[in-house]
Amino acid sequence: MFSFLIRHSLVFIFAAAILGFLLPEYSLKVFPILPYCLFVLMTLTLIGMKQNELVIKLKQLYVWWYACFHSFVLMLLSFAFAKFIGADEALTLAIVAVAATGSLFATPAIIRALGFDVMTSMAMTIASTILLPVAIYVSLFLLQSGEVSLDMQAYIMRLVIFIFGPMLLSFVIHKYVPEDKLGRALVKISPYTILVVFAFPFGLISNFRLQWDQDPMLAYQLIGISTFLVALFFVAAFFLYKKLGKEQAFMAAVTAGNRNVLLTHTIAGSLLGPMFLPLAGAIQVPTSALPILTKWLAKRAK
């Protein structure tokens, strides 16, 4: 059963989003445990990487250029889109906040399932996450009336827990556990990392389902907006990085398309307005379908 789930994991990520929509009561119960799933996912992913190589990647300038593109260029494009469709203040803020969000921590696990460069994707994910508070502050400063105050203590604590903590744990394990034993263990454990990813689309879509029950027409609009945003992120990143090769382009496109809306909500909370969580839930559908589309496109591009 597990081998079947792993073999078809990209399809089951999408199925998890649909199942969460159909079973909102269970989706709401999963939502509070997503931070724990995130820690497990990051730990398993980082243990499979040599931290010195990851640090070398993080020192490379193009990773930070990507993070700036991910956080600021796509935010400006999304703002232009919001103005074009005549979105009100609350929806505009939600759209821009989603665009300012760093890449999803589950991205490297998805990239591994696609067979692309996991190390570079992890470096890009970390870099875009580090820039997250700056991007969110800029968006709130420009769009939110009143005083802007981010929960930086919560953000720093989450950086330590979900990034630097697993990196340190991985460093210690690689230092003191013999490579042959660690290698055998990772061969057995790594395939199961993708199973943890199922929890995110399942648990995050509940707020969109609540919006659907209250106002179906608005929910249709949110699905359309979220689909356009994911397509915008994917296409823009793909063509920007196409000159570096098709694999790099697909890897950057998937990394740009995935958004860590849970972390953004954690540090900005109610400042993001009433439309952020419904939009964050709606975006789970196109986001979870993105790896399937990418795998199909990558095969055709060979």
Side-chain angles (χ1 to χ4, degrees):
M1 180 62 180
F2 280 128
S3 60
F4 179 79
L5 288 173
I6 294 168
R7 190 164 58 251
H8 302 285
S9 58
L10 299 182
V11 174
F12 281 107
I13 290 174
F14 179 73
I18 302 302
L19 193 62
F21 178 81
L22 296 175
L23 302 171
E25 64 276 15
Y26 294 103
S27 177
L28 286 168
K29 291 179 180 179
V30 169
F31 183 79
I33 69 170
L34 289 180
Y36 302 100
C37 297
L38 185 57
F39 177 79
V40 171
L41 178 65
M42 285 298 290
T43 301
L44 291 177
T45 302
L46 285 167
I47 286 175
M49 299 179 180
K50 293 184 178 179
Q51 296 309 295
N52 58 336
E53 295 180 9
L54 179 58
V55 171
I56 291 172
K57 285 283 186 181
L58 282 168
K59 290 180 180 179
Q60 296 178 355
L61 187 60
Y62 81 90
V63 169
W64 293 96
W65 277 118
Y66 167 82
C68 290
F69 163 78
H70 181 109
S71 300
F72 301 112
V73 176
L74 294 179
M75 184 172 64
L76 289 173
L77 291 175
S78 299
F79 176 72
F81 166 69
K83 289 301 181 183
F84 177 77
I85 65 174
D88 60 22
E89 182 180 342
L91 185 53
T92 298
L93 180 58
I95 290 172
V96 173
V98 166
T101 295
S103 188
L104 187 66
F105 288 167
T107 298
I110 296 172
I111 292 295
R112 176 181 281 116
L114 290 169
F116 296 152
D117 184 356
V118 179
M119 191 72 73
T120 300
S121 176
M122 176 60 81
M124 289 177 167
T125 297
I126 292 174
S128 65
T129 301
I130 290 173
L131 289 186
L132 171 60
V134 179
I136 291 296
Y137 185 86
V138 170
S139 63
L140 291 174
F141 180 79
L142 294 176
L143 299 175
Q144 181 74 284
S145 58
E147 184 180 352
V148 176
S149 177
L150 299 181
D151 190 351
M152 290 303 298
Q153 183 178 356
Y155 172 74
I156 292 172
M157 182 175 67
R158 279 159 179 76
L159 276 183
V160 172
I161 293 173
F162 298 120
I163 294 182
F164 301 123
M167 285 179 70
L168 178 61
L169 179 60
S170 175
F171 175 79
V172 172
I173 290 175
H174 278 276
K175 184 175 179 62
Y176 292 104
V177 177
E179 287 295 330
D180 57 337
K181 292 184 178 179
L182 182 60
R184 288 195 297 270
L186 289 175
V187 168
K188 296 179 180 180
I189 295 173
S190 293
Y192 297 94
T193 305
I194 194 67
L195 299 180
V196 185
V197 179
F198 297 166
F200 295 96
F202 183 86
L204 284 169
I205 204 170
S206 55
N207 286 281
F208 171 67
R209 174 55 193 266
L210 294 176
Q211 186 66 59
W212 180 286
D213 292 338
Q214 296 171 7
D215 189 345
M217 290 306 299
L218 178 57
Y220 282 122
Q221 293 176 25
L222 292 177
I223 278 288
I225 290 170
S226 62
T227 301
F228 178 85
L229 289 176
V230 171
L232 172 65
F233 302 156
F234 182 90
V235 171
F238 180 85
F239 283 103
L240 180 66
Y241 280 83
K242 189 177 181 181
K243 61 183 179 181
L244 299 179
K246 290 181 180 178
E247 179 176 333
Q248 183 76 11
F250 278 121
M251 184 273 299
V254 174
T255 304
N258 290 327
R259 297 282 157 161
N260 194 353
V261 291
L262 181 64
L263 182 59
T264 301
H265 175 68
T266 299
I267 69 169
S270 60
L271 292 174
L272 299 172
M275 293 305 300
F276 180 78
L277 280 179
L279 181 61
I283 208 170
Q284 299 309 307
V285 177
T287 297
S288 58
L290 191 60
I292 302 173
L293 176 63
T294 304
K295 188 173 185 178
W296 179 76
L297 290 173
K299 285 183 178 179
R300 289 179 61 88
K302 289 182 178 179

